[in-house]
């Protein structure tokens, strides 16, 4: 998994864990990714189609796990176990990508914030003290 980004590695791991299921919804996949990666927040976030396509192709080439992507009428991604792996058709892909502009998706940045603990809140009391020079020492 050297060529995969951290979020793609998480997606691949979850897909391998859920390989017994014949149908995986985007919501269930995203929930499991958040749980495994211990991402707090972004509870409604989905999975980016581009990331998922790379993961489906990776699994098909390396682990013999054949998954096909489908899109429902609400532009939610459905992942089904099938004989051969398959990505979305061009019009379904365009529909999904245009809907992704208005939804939140999980990114590598979410994993980085989790690892670093995220950005802490800066309080006014955290200001650095100004170092005053002693005037007598300057002479």
């Amino acid at each position: 998994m050297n060529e995969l980004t951290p979020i793609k590695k998480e997606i691949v791991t979850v897909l391998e864990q859920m390989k017994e299921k014949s149908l995986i919804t985007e919501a269930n996949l995203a929930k499991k990714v958040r749980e495994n990666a211990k991402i707090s927040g972004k509870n409604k976030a989905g999975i980016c189609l581009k990331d998922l396509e790379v993961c489906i192709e990776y699994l098909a080439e390396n682990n013999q796990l054949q998954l096909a992507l489908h899109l429902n009428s609400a532009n939610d991604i459905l992942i089904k176990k099938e004989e051969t792996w398959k990505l979305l058709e061009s019009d379904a892909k365009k529909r999904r990508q245009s809907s992704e502009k208005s939804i939140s998706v999980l990114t590598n940045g979410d994993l980085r914030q989790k690892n670093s603990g995220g950005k802490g809140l800066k309080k006014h009391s955290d200001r650095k003290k100004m170092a005053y020079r002693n005037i007598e020492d300057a002479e």
Side-chain angles (χ1 to χ4, degrees):
M1 283 198 258
N2 294 343
E3 68 275 359
L4 297 179
T5 62
I7 192 70
K8 290 176 187 167
K9 287 179 184 177
E10 287 293 334
I11 294 169
V12 166
T13 303
V14 170
L15 285 171
E16 287 173 335
Q17 290 172 353
M18 300 176 87
K19 67 183 175 186
E20 301 303 319
K21 296 188 176 203
S22 59
L23 175 68
I24 303 168
T25 64
E26 176 186 5
N28 288 339
L29 178 65
K31 180 181 177 185
K32 191 77 170 162
V33 167
R34 282 192 301 277
E35 286 174 6
N36 282 3
K38 294 177 179 62
I39 298 172
S40 58
K42 281 196 142 181
N43 291 336
K44 300 285 184 187
I47 302 291
C48 180
L49 178 62
K50 287 183 180 182
D51 291 342
L52 193 53
E53 285 179 333
V54 171
C55 295
I56 296 293
E57 192 171 347
Y58 176 86
L59 285 169
E61 292 173 358
N62 296 321
N63 293 348
Q64 313 316 314
L65 184 58
Q66 306 298 323
L67 300 170
L69 295 178
H70 298 278
L71 203 63
N72 68 11
S73 59
N75 292 331
D76 296 327
I77 299 171
L78 303 174
I79 305 158
K80 295 181 181 178
K81 245 177 147 174
E82 293 190 5
E83 299 280 325
T84 59
W85 66 280
K86 185 178 85 171
L87 303 178
L88 289 179
E89 296 172 0
S90 63
D91 47 326
K93 189 174 183 174
K94 286 177 190 173
R95 239 180 47 224
R96 170 61 190 201
Q97 287 174 332
S98 66
S99 75
E100 276 184 11
K101 293 175 186 172
S102 62
I103 64 172
S104 176
V105 293
L106 295 172
T107 64
N108 289 320
D110 297 324
L111 294 176
R112 278 194 296 274
Q113 285 180 356
K114 183 262 318 177
N115 290 338
S116 67
K119 290 187 176 181
L121 295 174
K122 187 111 177 146
K123 297 180 182 176
H124 291 291
S125 61
D126 291 346
R127 292 183 188 153
K128 292 182 179 178
K129 302 281 187 220
M130 188 171 184
Y132 292 101
R133 271 192 330 202
N134 198 346
I135 296 175
E136 294 169 4
D137 292 341
E139 295 174 3

PDB file of all heavy atoms in Angstrom, residues 103-137:
ATOM      1  N   ILE A 103     -21.221  18.557  -0.233  1.00  0.00           N
ATOM      2  CA  ILE A 103     -21.164  17.692   0.945  1.00  0.00           C
ATOM      3  C   ILE A 103     -19.751  17.667   1.512  1.00  0.00           C
ATOM      4  O   ILE A 103     -18.791  18.024   0.843  1.00  0.00           O
ATOM      5  CB  ILE A 103     -21.629  16.240   0.640  1.00  0.00           C
ATOM      6  CG1 ILE A 103     -20.691  15.563  -0.360  1.00  0.00           C
ATOM      7  CG2 ILE A 103     -23.061  16.197   0.197  1.00  0.00           C
ATOM      8  CD1 ILE A 103     -20.961  14.090  -0.560  1.00  0.00           C
ATOM      9  N   SER A 104     -19.638  17.231   2.730  1.00  0.00           N
ATOM     10  CA  SER A 104     -18.349  17.103   3.385  1.00  0.00           C
ATOM     11  C   SER A 104     -17.816  15.686   3.158  1.00  0.00           C
ATOM     12  O   SER A 104     -18.565  14.718   3.254  1.00  0.00           O
ATOM     13  CB  SER A 104     -18.540  17.361   4.883  1.00  0.00           C
ATOM     14  OG  SER A 104     -17.344  17.154   5.571  1.00  0.00           O
ATOM     15  N   VAL A 105     -16.530  15.568   2.819  1.00  0.00           N
ATOM     16  CA  VAL A 105     -15.915  14.252   2.625  1.00  0.00           C
ATOM     17  C   VAL A 105     -14.696  14.121   3.526  1.00  0.00           C
ATOM     18  O   VAL A 105     -14.085  15.112   3.919  1.00  0.00           O
ATOM     19  CB  VAL A 105     -15.510  14.010   1.142  1.00  0.00           C
ATOM     20  CG1 VAL A 105     -16.723  13.907   0.250  1.00  0.00           C
ATOM     21  CG2 VAL A 105     -14.569  15.073   0.640  1.00  0.00           C
ATOM     22  N   LEU A 106     -14.343  12.889   3.848  1.00  0.00           N
ATOM     23  CA  LEU A 106     -13.171  12.624   4.667  1.00  0.00           C
ATOM     24  C   LEU A 106     -11.910  12.817   3.830  1.00  0.00           C
ATOM     25  O   LEU A 106     -11.860  12.389   2.673  1.00  0.00           O
ATOM     26  CB  LEU A 106     -13.222  11.194   5.214  1.00  0.00           C
ATOM     27  CG  LEU A 106     -14.354  10.907   6.184  1.00  0.00           C
ATOM     28  CD1 LEU A 106     -14.420   9.422   6.494  1.00  0.00           C
ATOM     29  CD2 LEU A 106     -14.169  11.704   7.459  1.00  0.00           C
ATOM     30  N   THR A 107     -10.907  13.462   4.415  1.00  0.00           N
ATOM     31  CA  THR A 107      -9.676  13.766   3.693  1.00  0.00           C
ATOM     32  C   THR A 107      -8.458  13.349   4.507  1.00  0.00           C
ATOM     33  O   THR A 107      -8.565  12.988   5.677  1.00  0.00           O
ATOM     34  CB  THR A 107      -9.567  15.277   3.402  1.00  0.00           C
ATOM     35  OG1 THR A 107      -9.481  15.969   4.657  1.00  0.00           O
ATOM     36  CG2 THR A 107     -10.752  15.781   2.603  1.00  0.00           C
ATOM     37  N   ASN A 108      -7.279  13.451   3.885  1.00  0.00           N
ATOM     38  CA  ASN A 108      -6.033  13.183   4.592  1.00  0.00           C
ATOM     39  C   ASN A 108      -5.845  14.158   5.745  1.00  0.00           C
ATOM     40  O   ASN A 108      -5.258  13.815   6.760  1.00  0.00           O
ATOM     41  CB  ASN A 108      -4.844  13.293   3.636  1.00  0.00           C
ATOM     42  CG  ASN A 108      -4.801  12.152   2.652  1.00  0.00           C
ATOM     43  OD1 ASN A 108      -5.067  11.008   3.016  1.00  0.00           O
ATOM     44  ND2 ASN A 108      -4.486  12.441   1.419  1.00  0.00           N
ATOM     45  N   GLY A 109      -6.336  15.368   5.589  1.00  0.00           N
ATOM     46  CA  GLY A 109      -6.229  16.376   6.645  1.00  0.00           C
ATOM     47  C   GLY A 109      -6.936  15.945   7.918  1.00  0.00           C
ATOM     48  O   GLY A 109      -6.485  16.250   9.023  1.00  0.00           O
ATOM     49  N   ASP A 110      -8.030  15.211   7.786  1.00  0.00           N
ATOM     50  CA  ASP A 110      -8.740  14.711   8.969  1.00  0.00           C
ATOM     51  C   ASP A 110      -7.861  13.740   9.750  1.00  0.00           C
ATOM     52  O   ASP A 110      -7.863  13.730  10.968  1.00  0.00           O
ATOM     53  CB  ASP A 110     -10.044  14.024   8.569  1.00  0.00           C
ATOM     54  CG  ASP A 110     -11.012  14.986   7.900  1.00  0.00           C
ATOM     55  OD1 ASP A 110     -11.049  16.160   8.301  1.00  0.00           O
ATOM     56  OD2 ASP A 110     -11.709  14.558   6.972  1.00  0.00           O
ATOM     57  N   LEU A 111      -7.110  12.925   9.023  1.00  0.00           N
ATOM     58  CA  LEU A 111      -6.210  11.979   9.686  1.00  0.00           C
ATOM     59  C   LEU A 111      -5.042  12.705  10.340  1.00  0.00           C
ATOM     60  O   LEU A 111      -4.606  12.350  11.421  1.00  0.00           O
ATOM     61  CB  LEU A 111      -5.691  10.945   8.684  1.00  0.00           C
ATOM     62  CG  LEU A 111      -6.739  10.007   8.108  1.00  0.00           C
ATOM     63  CD1 LEU A 111      -6.124   9.099   7.064  1.00  0.00           C
ATOM     64  CD2 LEU A 111      -7.390   9.187   9.188  1.00  0.00           C
ATOM     65  N   ARG A 112      -4.519  13.725   9.682  1.00  0.00           N
ATOM     66  CA  ARG A 112      -3.399  14.503  10.252  1.00  0.00           C
ATOM     67  C   ARG A 112      -3.835  15.206  11.527  1.00  0.00           C
ATOM     68  O   ARG A 112      -3.113  15.216  12.511  1.00  0.00           O
ATOM     69  CB  ARG A 112      -2.881  15.523   9.244  1.00  0.00           C
ATOM     70  CG  ARG A 112      -1.917  14.945   8.238  1.00  0.00           C
ATOM     71  CD  ARG A 112      -1.181  16.037   7.508  1.00  0.00           C
ATOM     72  NE  ARG A 112      -2.054  16.871   6.708  1.00  0.00           N
ATOM     73  CZ  ARG A 112      -2.425  16.593   5.468  1.00  0.00           C
ATOM     74  NH1 ARG A 112      -2.012  15.493   4.889  1.00  0.00           N
ATOM     75  NH2 ARG A 112      -3.217  17.407   4.807  1.00  0.00           N
ATOM     76  N   GLN A 113      -5.019  15.798  11.524  1.00  0.00           N
ATOM     77  CA  GLN A 113      -5.502  16.486  12.723  1.00  0.00           C
ATOM     78  C   GLN A 113      -5.708  15.506  13.861  1.00  0.00           C
ATOM     79  O   GLN A 113      -5.427  15.814  15.005  1.00  0.00           O
ATOM     80  CB  GLN A 113      -6.813  17.219  12.431  1.00  0.00           C
ATOM     81  CG  GLN A 113      -6.618  18.465  11.630  1.00  0.00           C
ATOM     82  CD  GLN A 113      -7.921  19.185  11.349  1.00  0.00           C
ATOM     83  OE1 GLN A 113      -8.989  18.704  11.706  1.00  0.00           O
ATOM     84  NE2 GLN A 113      -7.833  20.332  10.706  1.00  0.00           N
ATOM     85  N   LYS A 114      -6.142  14.299  13.528  1.00  0.00           N
ATOM     86  CA  LYS A 114      -6.337  13.280  14.559  1.00  0.00           C
ATOM     87  C   LYS A 114      -4.989  12.903  15.159  1.00  0.00           C
ATOM     88  O   LYS A 114      -4.833  12.780  16.351  1.00  0.00           O
ATOM     89  CB  LYS A 114      -7.026  12.058  13.944  1.00  0.00           C
ATOM     90  CG  LYS A 114      -7.363  10.928  14.895  1.00  0.00           C
ATOM     91  CD  LYS A 114      -6.426   9.775  14.954  1.00  0.00           C
ATOM     92  CE  LYS A 114      -5.884   9.267  13.678  1.00  0.00           C
ATOM     93  NZ  LYS A 114      -4.942   8.191  13.820  1.00  0.00           N
ATOM     94  N   ASN A 115      -3.958  12.748  14.322  1.00  0.00           N
ATOM     95  CA  ASN A 115      -2.640  12.343  14.806  1.00  0.00           C
ATOM     96  C   ASN A 115      -1.968  13.428  15.623  1.00  0.00           C
ATOM     97  O   ASN A 115      -1.256  13.155  16.572  1.00  0.00           O
ATOM     98  CB  ASN A 115      -1.739  11.956  13.637  1.00  0.00           C
ATOM     99  CG  ASN A 115      -2.187  10.661  12.981  1.00  0.00           C
ATOM    100  OD1 ASN A 115      -2.875   9.868  13.602  1.00  0.00           O
ATOM    101  ND2 ASN A 115      -1.820  10.456  11.740  1.00  0.00           N
ATOM    102  N   SER A 116      -2.176  14.679  15.247  1.00  0.00           N
ATOM    103  CA  SER A 116      -1.522  15.772  15.968  1.00  0.00           C
ATOM    104  C   SER A 116      -2.408  16.310  17.083  1.00  0.00           C
ATOM    105  O   SER A 116      -2.019  17.219  17.790  1.00  0.00           O
ATOM    106  CB  SER A 116      -1.179  16.906  14.992  1.00  0.00           C
ATOM    107  OG  SER A 116      -2.369  17.488  14.504  1.00  0.00           O
ATOM    108  N   GLY A 117      -3.588  15.770  17.199  1.00  0.00           N
ATOM    109  CA  GLY A 117      -4.510  16.255  18.215  1.00  0.00           C
ATOM    110  C   GLY A 117      -5.291  17.460  17.745  1.00  0.00           C
ATOM    111  O   GLY A 117      -6.029  18.066  18.498  1.00  0.00           O
ATOM    112  N   GLY A 118      -5.143  17.821  16.482  1.00  0.00           N
ATOM    113  CA  GLY A 118      -5.852  18.983  15.947  1.00  0.00           C
ATOM    114  C   GLY A 118      -5.246  20.274  16.450  1.00  0.00           C
ATOM    115  O   GLY A 118      -4.307  20.290  17.231  1.00  0.00           O
ATOM    116  N   LYS A 119      -5.737  21.357  15.965  1.00  0.00           N
ATOM    117  CA  LYS A 119      -5.250  22.661  16.417  1.00  0.00           C
ATOM    118  C   LYS A 119      -5.942  23.008  17.721  1.00  0.00           C
ATOM    119  O   LYS A 119      -7.149  22.991  17.805  1.00  0.00           O
ATOM    120  CB  LYS A 119      -5.534  23.733  15.374  1.00  0.00           C
ATOM    121  CG  LYS A 119      -4.710  23.592  14.123  1.00  0.00           C
ATOM    122  CD  LYS A 119      -4.926  24.774  13.216  1.00  0.00           C
ATOM    123  CE  LYS A 119      -4.010  24.663  12.015  1.00  0.00           C
ATOM    124  NZ  LYS A 119      -4.150  25.791  11.126  1.00  0.00           N
ATOM    125  N   GLY A 120      -5.137  23.313  18.706  1.00  0.00           N
ATOM    126  CA  GLY A 120      -5.706  23.683  19.988  1.00  0.00           C
ATOM    127  C   GLY A 120      -6.264  25.092  19.937  1.00  0.00           C
ATOM    128  O   GLY A 120      -5.855  25.911  19.107  1.00  0.00           O
ATOM    129  N   LEU A 121      -7.158  25.376  20.839  1.00  0.00           N
ATOM    130  CA  LEU A 121      -7.708  26.721  20.905  1.00  0.00           C
ATOM    131  C   LEU A 121      -6.685  27.646  21.532  1.00  0.00           C
ATOM    132  O   LEU A 121      -6.072  27.322  22.553  1.00  0.00           O
ATOM    133  CB  LEU A 121      -8.994  26.726  21.746  1.00  0.00           C
ATOM    134  CG  LEU A 121     -10.160  25.942  21.162  1.00  0.00           C
ATOM    135  CD1 LEU A 121     -11.307  25.900  22.168  1.00  0.00           C
ATOM    136  CD2 LEU A 121     -10.621  26.575  19.869  1.00  0.00           C
ATOM    137  N   LYS A 122      -6.489  28.775  20.920  1.00  0.00           N
ATOM    138  CA  LYS A 122      -5.529  29.744  21.438  1.00  0.00           C
ATOM    139  C   LYS A 122      -6.266  30.659  22.400  1.00  0.00           C
ATOM    140  O   LYS A 122      -7.216  31.322  22.022  1.00  0.00           O
ATOM    141  CB  LYS A 122      -4.933  30.545  20.278  1.00  0.00           C
ATOM    142  CG  LYS A 122      -3.831  31.460  20.669  1.00  0.00           C
ATOM    143  CD  LYS A 122      -2.541  30.965  20.101  1.00  0.00           C
ATOM    144  CE  LYS A 122      -1.446  31.949  20.446  1.00  0.00           C
ATOM    145  NZ  LYS A 122      -0.213  31.271  20.660  1.00  0.00           N
ATOM    146  N   LYS A 123      -5.821  30.674  23.624  1.00  0.00           N
ATOM    147  CA  LYS A 123      -6.447  31.528  24.618  1.00  0.00           C
ATOM    148  C   LYS A 123      -5.631  32.800  24.765  1.00  0.00           C
ATOM    149  O   LYS A 123      -4.438  32.823  24.486  1.00  0.00           O
ATOM    150  CB  LYS A 123      -6.509  30.805  25.972  1.00  0.00           C
ATOM    151  CG  LYS A 123      -7.366  29.566  25.948  1.00  0.00           C
ATOM    152  CD  LYS A 123      -7.376  28.911  27.304  1.00  0.00           C
ATOM    153  CE  LYS A 123      -8.201  27.633  27.263  1.00  0.00           C
ATOM    154  NZ  LYS A 123      -8.151  26.934  28.532  1.00  0.00           N
ATOM    155  N   HIS A 124      -6.279  33.849  25.243  1.00  0.00           N
ATOM    156  CA  HIS A 124      -5.572  35.107  25.424  1.00  0.00           C
ATOM    157  C   HIS A 124      -4.466  34.979  26.460  1.00  0.00           C
ATOM    158  O   HIS A 124      -3.468  35.663  26.402  1.00  0.00           O
ATOM    159  CB  HIS A 124      -6.545  36.224  25.823  1.00  0.00           C
ATOM    160  CG  HIS A 124      -7.464  36.611  24.706  1.00  0.00           C
ATOM    161  ND1 HIS A 124      -7.041  37.262  23.580  1.00  0.00           N
ATOM    162  CD2 HIS A 124      -8.792  36.402  24.528  1.00  0.00           C
ATOM    163  CE1 HIS A 124      -8.048  37.461  22.759  1.00  0.00           C
ATOM    164  NE2 HIS A 124      -9.141  36.938  23.308  1.00  0.00           N
ATOM    165  N   SER A 125      -4.626  34.096  27.403  1.00  0.00           N
ATOM    166  CA  SER A 125      -3.623  33.933  28.448  1.00  0.00           C
ATOM    167  C   SER A 125      -2.381  33.203  27.943  1.00  0.00           C
ATOM    168  O   SER A 125      -1.385  33.133  28.640  1.00  0.00           O
ATOM    169  CB  SER A 125      -4.220  33.186  29.641  1.00  0.00           C
ATOM    170  OG  SER A 125      -4.637  31.914  29.214  1.00  0.00           O
ATOM    171  N   ASP A 126      -2.446  32.665  26.704  1.00  0.00           N
ATOM    172  CA  ASP A 126      -1.302  31.948  26.155  1.00  0.00           C
ATOM    173  C   ASP A 126      -0.309  32.874  25.458  1.00  0.00           C
ATOM    174  O   ASP A 126       0.649  32.402  24.866  1.00  0.00           O
ATOM    175  CB  ASP A 126      -1.768  30.896  25.148  1.00  0.00           C
ATOM    176  CG  ASP A 126      -2.499  29.749  25.813  1.00  0.00           C
ATOM    177  OD1 ASP A 126      -2.398  29.646  27.052  1.00  0.00           O
ATOM    178  OD2 ASP A 126      -3.152  28.973  25.107  1.00  0.00           O
ATOM    179  N   ARG A 127      -0.531  34.176  25.521  1.00  0.00           N
ATOM    180  CA  ARG A 127       0.373  35.101  24.848  1.00  0.00           C
ATOM    181  C   ARG A 127       1.756  35.014  25.449  1.00  0.00           C
ATOM    182  O   ARG A 127       1.926  34.822  26.655  1.00  0.00           O
ATOM    183  CB  ARG A 127      -0.134  36.535  24.985  1.00  0.00           C
ATOM    184  CG  ARG A 127      -1.405  36.785  24.236  1.00  0.00           C
ATOM    185  CD  ARG A 127      -1.783  38.239  24.371  1.00  0.00           C
ATOM    186  NE  ARG A 127      -3.103  38.441  23.821  1.00  0.00           N
ATOM    187  CZ  ARG A 127      -3.912  39.385  24.213  1.00  0.00           C
ATOM    188  NH1 ARG A 127      -3.569  40.220  25.169  1.00  0.00           N
ATOM    189  NH2 ARG A 127      -5.090  39.515  23.652  1.00  0.00           N
ATOM    190  N   LYS A 128       2.740  35.207  24.584  1.00  0.00           N
ATOM    191  CA  LYS A 128       4.109  35.201  25.085  1.00  0.00           C
ATOM    192  C   LYS A 128       4.382  36.510  25.806  1.00  0.00           C
ATOM    193  O   LYS A 128       3.934  37.569  25.391  1.00  0.00           O
ATOM    194  CB  LYS A 128       5.089  35.024  23.934  1.00  0.00           C
ATOM    195  CG  LYS A 128       5.006  33.658  23.301  1.00  0.00           C
ATOM    196  CD  LYS A 128       6.021  33.503  22.212  1.00  0.00           C
ATOM    197  CE  LYS A 128       5.927  32.119  21.609  1.00  0.00           C
ATOM    198  NZ  LYS A 128       6.855  31.930  20.520  1.00  0.00           N
ATOM    199  N   LYS A 129       5.144  36.406  26.837  1.00  0.00           N
ATOM    200  CA  LYS A 129       5.535  37.612  27.579  1.00  0.00           C
ATOM    201  C   LYS A 129       6.604  38.332  26.794  1.00  0.00           C
ATOM    202  O   LYS A 129       7.498  37.713  26.222  1.00  0.00           O
ATOM    203  CB  LYS A 129       6.082  37.237  28.958  1.00  0.00           C
ATOM    204  CG  LYS A 129       5.112  36.453  29.805  1.00  0.00           C
ATOM    205  CD  LYS A 129       4.095  37.364  30.411  1.00  0.00           C
ATOM    206  CE  LYS A 129       3.235  36.585  31.379  1.00  0.00           C
ATOM    207  NZ  LYS A 129       1.874  36.909  31.360  1.00  0.00           N
ATOM    208  N   MET A 130       6.484  39.622  26.782  1.00  0.00           N
ATOM    209  CA  MET A 130       7.474  40.419  26.072  1.00  0.00           C
ATOM    210  C   MET A 130       8.740  40.504  26.919  1.00  0.00           C
ATOM    211  O   MET A 130       8.679  40.767  28.118  1.00  0.00           O
ATOM    212  CB  MET A 130       6.914  41.821  25.814  1.00  0.00           C
ATOM    213  CG  MET A 130       7.767  42.659  24.946  1.00  0.00           C
ATOM    214  SD  MET A 130       6.837  44.147  24.556  1.00  0.00           S
ATOM    215  CE  MET A 130       7.964  44.897  23.463  1.00  0.00           C
ATOM    216  N   ALA A 131       9.885  40.231  26.304  1.00  0.00           N
ATOM    217  CA  ALA A 131      11.144  40.286  27.038  1.00  0.00           C
ATOM    218  C   ALA A 131      11.639  41.732  27.064  1.00  0.00           C
ATOM    219  O   ALA A 131      11.964  42.312  26.036  1.00  0.00           O
ATOM    220  CB  ALA A 131      12.162  39.382  26.356  1.00  0.00           C
ATOM    221  N   TYR A 132      11.654  42.316  28.242  1.00  0.00           N
ATOM    222  CA  TYR A 132      12.131  43.681  28.395  1.00  0.00           C
ATOM    223  C   TYR A 132      13.635  43.655  28.651  1.00  0.00           C
ATOM    224  O   TYR A 132      14.136  42.872  29.448  1.00  0.00           O
ATOM    225  CB  TYR A 132      11.424  44.372  29.574  1.00  0.00           C
ATOM    226  CG  TYR A 132       9.960  44.604  29.307  1.00  0.00           C
ATOM    227  CD1 TYR A 132       8.993  43.773  29.838  1.00  0.00           C
ATOM    228  CD2 TYR A 132       9.560  45.667  28.525  1.00  0.00           C
ATOM    229  CE1 TYR A 132       7.655  43.971  29.601  1.00  0.00           C
ATOM    230  CE2 TYR A 132       8.217  45.892  28.266  1.00  0.00           C
ATOM    231  CZ  TYR A 132       7.269  45.050  28.813  1.00  0.00           C
ATOM    232  OH  TYR A 132       5.945  45.249  28.562  1.00  0.00           O
ATOM    233  N   ARG A 133      14.323  44.531  27.960  1.00  0.00           N
ATOM    234  CA  ARG A 133      15.754  44.658  28.209  1.00  0.00           C
ATOM    235  C   ARG A 133      15.964  45.588  29.390  1.00  0.00           C
ATOM    236  O   ARG A 133      15.258  46.578  29.548  1.00  0.00           O
ATOM    237  CB  ARG A 133      16.464  45.286  26.996  1.00  0.00           C
ATOM    238  CG  ARG A 133      16.920  44.318  26.001  1.00  0.00           C
ATOM    239  CD  ARG A 133      17.830  44.933  25.010  1.00  0.00           C
ATOM    240  NE  ARG A 133      17.546  46.361  24.790  1.00  0.00           N
ATOM    241  CZ  ARG A 133      17.905  47.026  23.716  1.00  0.00           C
ATOM    242  NH1 ARG A 133      18.536  46.420  22.761  1.00  0.00           N
ATOM    243  NH2 ARG A 133      17.638  48.308  23.588  1.00  0.00           N
ATOM    244  N   ASN A 134      16.921  45.261  30.139  1.00  0.00           N
ATOM    245  CA  ASN A 134      17.265  46.125  31.245  1.00  0.00           C
ATOM    246  C   ASN A 134      18.071  47.293  30.695  1.00  0.00           C
ATOM    247  O   ASN A 134      19.119  47.100  30.088  1.00  0.00           O
ATOM    248  CB  ASN A 134      18.083  45.343  32.279  1.00  0.00           C
ATOM    249  CG  ASN A 134      18.090  46.029  33.621  1.00  0.00           C
ATOM    250  OD1 ASN A 134      17.722  47.197  33.738  1.00  0.00           O
ATOM    251  ND2 ASN A 134      18.516  45.291  34.638  1.00  0.00           N
ATOM    252  N   ILE A 135      17.582  48.506  30.848  1.00  0.00           N
ATOM    253  CA  ILE A 135      18.217  49.687  30.255  1.00  0.00           C
ATOM    254  C   ILE A 135      19.616  49.884  30.802  1.00  0.00           C
ATOM    255  O   ILE A 135      20.538  50.271  30.080  1.00  0.00           O
ATOM    256  CB  ILE A 135      17.342  50.947  30.490  1.00  0.00           C
ATOM    257  CG1 ILE A 135      16.012  50.724  29.744  1.00  0.00           C
ATOM    258  CG2 ILE A 135      18.032  52.185  29.979  1.00  0.00           C
ATOM    259  CD1 ILE A 135      15.018  51.804  29.968  1.00  0.00           C
ATOM    260  N   GLU A 136      19.833  49.592  32.036  1.00  0.00           N
ATOM    261  CA  GLU A 136      21.149  49.800  32.634  1.00  0.00           C
ATOM    262  C   GLU A 136      22.181  48.861  32.018  1.00  0.00           C
ATOM    263  O   GLU A 136      23.342  49.193  31.900  1.00  0.00           O
ATOM    264  CB  GLU A 136      21.076  49.571  34.138  1.00  0.00           C
ATOM    265  CG  GLU A 136      20.207  50.616  34.826  1.00  0.00           C
ATOM    266  CD  GLU A 136      19.899  50.247  36.266  1.00  0.00           C
ATOM    267  OE1 GLU A 136      20.412  49.226  36.761  1.00  0.00           O
ATOM    268  OE2 GLU A 136      19.136  50.995  36.881  1.00  0.00           O
ATOM    269  N   ASP A 137      21.750  47.644  31.593  1.00  0.00           N
ATOM    270  CA  ASP A 137      22.681  46.695  30.992  1.00  0.00           C
ATOM    271  C   ASP A 137      23.095  47.108  29.590  1.00  0.00           C
ATOM    272  O   ASP A 137      24.164  46.724  29.126  1.00  0.00           O
ATOM    273  CB  ASP A 137      22.035  45.295  30.904  1.00  0.00           C
ATOM    274  CG  ASP A 137      21.835  44.694  32.275  1.00  0.00           C
ATOM    275  OD1 ASP A 137      22.488  45.163  33.219  1.00  0.00           O
ATOM    276  OD2 ASP A 137      21.017  43.758  32.393  1.00  0.00           O
TER     277      ASP A 137
END
